[in-house]
Amino acid sequence: MENGRDILSVQNLNKSYEAFKLRDVSFTLKAGTIMGFIGRNGAGKTTTLKAMVNLVHADSGSVQYFGMDLQTREAEIKQRISFAFGGVDYYLQKKLGTITGVYKRFYDQWDEKAYENYLKMFALDPNKKIKELSQGMQVKYSLALALSHYAEILILDEPTSGLDPVSRDEILTIFEDVVDGNQASILFSTHITSDLDKCADDITYIKNGAILFSEDRDSFVDSYRLVEGPLDRLTEELKSVIMGFHQRRGEFSGMINTRDLKMAPGIKCSPADLEAIMVHMERKA
Amino acid sequence: MKDLIYKEFKLAIHPTCYLFLLMGFMLLIPNYPYYVAFFYQTLGIFFIFVGGQANNDVYFTTLLPIPKRAAVKARFGIIVIIELAQIVVSIPFAVLRNSLNPAANQAGMEANAALFGLVFIMFAIFNLIFLTMFYKTAFKLGLPYVFACGAMAIFVGAAEAVIQLTPALKIALDTLDPSYLPQQLAVLIFGMVVFTLVTVLAYLRSAARFEKIDL
């Protein structure tokens, strides 16, 4: 797969529930990249991901993988992608070997040798039951399954939530190796911004069911600045462009778009990180 | 489909299904409502779905590279296999009971061909109600099972009442007399036809419902 080419394209997905709406969700994933799909709990991450594999039926919009439409070529597409909720949350009482024995029958490209290598690499014992695996090991097992049938896109819903920092780092390093070794591209959702600091090339940010941004991480981070200063230096003009405005004891703080920097002469400005951006975006005025 | 049926046997089937197959031995009881021996297996099938719920079977299966309705077809496949196995396993017990003890069953139908025909219809009712109701949500199990059991009980009660209270039917169907075998085989064949048609209809409705729901 030639790197940089769009291999997944989500266009104008809409889905209405009684209390929640997915609104015109669009983004694209490029080959050879890791995209972090970020948003707070309930923002619509899982619904979007489910709609991308037909677990949820969108009211309108389209999803294309490798230029093929999901609605008409679902089985073919699923041969070439992998989707997992967290790690492995099914058949917890069964042994890895039993599940693999069933799973592999469905994939034309299954490579037993590669699978055995991944088991060794990830120190997975096929005689263990799924429930005996730690959460991090479950994620590894799900990656071993996906990579052994040469899935070209891995879609993972919150693979790092609930992992300790060391396991999280380990999983993210595996993600980097997978992408750098040209094995697959990865789209994973998370609300842990440090995951993205570490390994994401691109970021898609969803808020209240709508995509706020989908762009490369560095320019995304660079487009915001944190501002702080005494309230008496705050102009009306500046206040109108501040996101996540906060004031206390005569001081104010918040975040502005980098293009608005000219409105903050003499105000202390500093680079924002992803966590700060997320917090300021979501903070209620 | 072969692979999906394999998956059903390897991952989904509940061990009690094998255990309940042995309930065929209840046909050895001299006086007993023999439908009960078959009814147990619907509980085994119910347990497959309870297990499926606990094990997130629906996600495991629908994320495989298969059309969504194939998951429903495979589940119907294994249920039909279990139901047929239940009937097949019971036959030797029926033969044994009738040769060991030819006295009439005081508690209902004799273990004859007509009984098996009625059991086919009972399973057809179970498949229609339990499975089509379940696939409306692919989650809620309790009510579909209660309704299915209720409908099976009404059917069995009505069938017994009609046969016991209609002399012509009682003479021809509730007997081990081989001279009435043609009438009993007619009931058996009728039951098999009903089972096939109703189960196919139940599959079509279940698959259509399952394809529509959001998981």
Side-chain angles (χ1 to χ4, degrees):
Chain A
M1 184 63 61
E2 184 195 336
N3 280 359
R5 204 159 71 88
D6 286 352
I7 48 172
L8 162 62
S9 160
V10 177
Q11 294 300 329
N12 304 105
L13 277 191
N14 284 286
K15 174 76 182 175
S16 285
Y17 292 103
E18 257 171 49
F20 175 75
K21 253 189 187 157
L22 218 52
R23 287 168 292 162
D24 283 323
V25 168
S26 303
F27 60 90
T28 54
L29 176 71
K30 291 186 182 69
T33 61
I34 301 178
M35 176 182 276
F37 189 34
I38 187 173
R40 61 185 301 181
N41 296 335
K45 299 190 294 290
T46 300
T47 306
T48 302
L49 296 182
K50 280 182 166 180
M52 287 166 54
V53 285
N54 252 347
L55 288 177
V56 159
H57 301 275
D59 299 333
S60 62
S62 72
V63 181
Q64 294 203 324
Y65 293 87
F66 320 108
M68 298 185 282
D69 190 72
L70 178 68
Q71 296 314 320
T72 52
R73 297 169 80 177
E74 183 176 345
E76 202 177 334
I77 287 168
K78 283 182 175 172
Q79 286 281 350
R80 295 174 61 184
I81 67 167
S82 166
F83 181 97
F85 294 105
V88 179
D89 59 349
Y90 42 76
Y91 288 110
L92 300 181
Q93 301 284 351
K94 299 282 183 194
K95 289 179 179 168
L96 273 57
T98 311
I99 291 185
T100 305
V102 171
Y103 183 89
K104 67 181 182 187
R105 300 168 75 101
F106 292 89
Y107 293 92
D108 304 336
Q109 291 205 76
W110 181 264
D111 184 339
E112 190 67 25
K113 215 163 172 195
Y115 171 69
E116 280 163 19
N117 283 340
Y118 285 119
L119 285 192
K120 254 184 239 156
M121 194 194 300
F122 298 152
L124 289 161
D125 176 357
N127 292 315
K128 272 198 171 172
K129 291 178 178 173
I130 299 281
K131 67 165 186 180
E132 293 168 336
L133 301 183
S134 67
Q135 222 172 333
M137 294 297 267
Q138 287 186 5
V139 177
K140 286 181 191 171
Y141 176 57
S142 118
L143 289 172
L145 287 179
L147 296 172
S148 302
H149 72 81
Y150 296 109
E152 295 160 60
I153 302 178
L154 312 183
I155 302 172
L156 302 143
D157 191 19
E158 311 246 354
T160 54
S161 304
L163 297 188
D164 66 76
V166 179
S167 308
R168 227 164 59 211
D169 180 71
E170 211 182 348
I171 296 293
L172 296 174
T173 307
I174 295 171
F175 284 3
E176 289 171 342
D177 293 344
V178 164
V179 170
D180 294 347
N182 278 328
Q183 289 161 288
S185 310
I186 295 177
L187 167 65
F188 76 105
S189 70
T190 183
H191 55 263
I192 306 169
T193 52
S194 62
D195 288 355
L196 307 178
D197 288 323
K198 180 162 164 58
C199 74
D201 299 299
D202 295 310
I203 286 182
T204 297
Y205 191 124
I206 187 167
K207 182 180 176 185
N208 295 334
I211 301 292
L212 284 188
F213 307 97
S214 184
E215 54 188 275
D216 79 273
R217 183 191 60 192
D218 295 339
S219 51
F220 175 67
V221 171
D222 195 45
S223 52
Y224 296 97
R225 290 287 185 275
L226 298 177
V227 288
E228 59 183 313
L231 273 173
D232 54 14
R233 301 280 299 276
L234 179 67
T235 61
E236 275 308 310
E237 189 191 28
L238 178 59
K239 192 176 177 186
S240 69
V241 297
I242 288 182
M243 290 166 262
F245 181 82
H246 181 65
Q247 66 177 66
R248 185 166 184 246
R249 292 182 178 163
E251 299 276 325
F252 75 91
S253 66
M255 185 177 74
I256 59 170
N257 208 301
T258 307
R259 65 169 183 264
D260 296 327
L261 267 178
K262 58 184 181 303
M263 296 181 194
I267 302 283
K268 188 182 167 195
C269 295
S270 53
D273 61 12
L274 280 168
E275 180 160 330
I277 295 172
M278 187 172 172
V279 167
H280 285 88
M281 292 264 186
E282 302 283 347
R283 186 187 279 165
K284 291 196 174 68
Chain B
M1 190 45 56
K2 190 174 94 254
D3 294 329
L4 273 172
I5 296 279
Y6 177 86
K7 178 236 126 191
E8 293 291 313
F9 273 106
K10 266 320 228 194
L11 297 178
I13 200 164
H14 197 272
T16 53
C17 291
Y18 297 120
L19 198 68
F20 287 145
L21 280 181
L22 299 176
M23 289 298 175
F25 88 91
M26 293 174 95
L27 268 60
L28 293 175
I29 302 171
N31 299 302
Y32 197 69
Y34 292 134
Y35 300 95
V36 175
F38 302 91
F39 167 80
Y40 273 108
Q41 193 53 267
T42 66
L43 199 59
I45 294 166
F46 176 70
F47 287 150
I48 294 180
F49 286 87
V50 173
Q53 214 177 51
N55 288 307
N56 284 330
D57 173 80
V58 74
Y59 290 120
F60 176 79
T61 311
T62 49
L63 287 172
L64 291 170
I66 54 159
K68 230 172 155 188
R69 57 173 44 224
V72 180
K73 200 188 236 176
R75 184 51 59 88
F76 267 74
I78 193 170
I79 289 169
V80 167
I81 290 171
I82 292 168
E83 289 168 343
L84 293 181
Q86 188 70 30
I87 288 174
V88 169
V89 168
S90 306
I91 292 171
F93 290 108
V95 172
L96 197 62
R97 186 253 179 233
N98 297 337
S99 51
L100 287 178
N101 173 26
N105 174 14
Q106 301 299 317
M109 281 283 288
E110 297 300 332
N112 59 20
L115 173 81
F116 286 109
L118 295 172
V119 167
F120 268 114
I121 298 175
M122 185 181 91
F123 280 151
I125 291 170
F126 173 77
N127 294 348
L128 180 68
I129 295 182
F130 178 65
L131 296 171
T132 49
M133 270 184 85
F134 169 75
Y135 279 109
K136 231 178 185 171
T137 62
F139 182 74
K140 286 184 186 161
L141 280 169
L143 267 191
Y145 191 66
V146 168
F147 275 101
C149 287
M152 284 191 291
I154 291 170
F155 165 72
V156 168
E160 276 291 338
V162 168
I163 291 167
Q164 300 303 327
L165 299 175
T166 315
L169 291 177
K170 175 143 179 77
I171 291 167
L173 301 181
D174 188 15
T175 177
L176 296 173
D177 182 345
S179 57
Y180 292 103
L181 193 60
Q183 288 91 325
Q184 293 176 10
L185 284 176
V187 174
L188 175 64
I189 290 166
F190 176 73
M192 290 164 113
V193 171
V194 168
F195 178 79
T196 308
L197 293 179
V198 169
T199 304
V200 168
L201 176 75
Y203 160 66
L204 294 173
R205 284 186 68 176
S206 301
R209 285 177 168 181
F210 185 60
E211 277 182 333
K212 268 192 220 131
I213 52 178
D214 289 332
L215 298 168

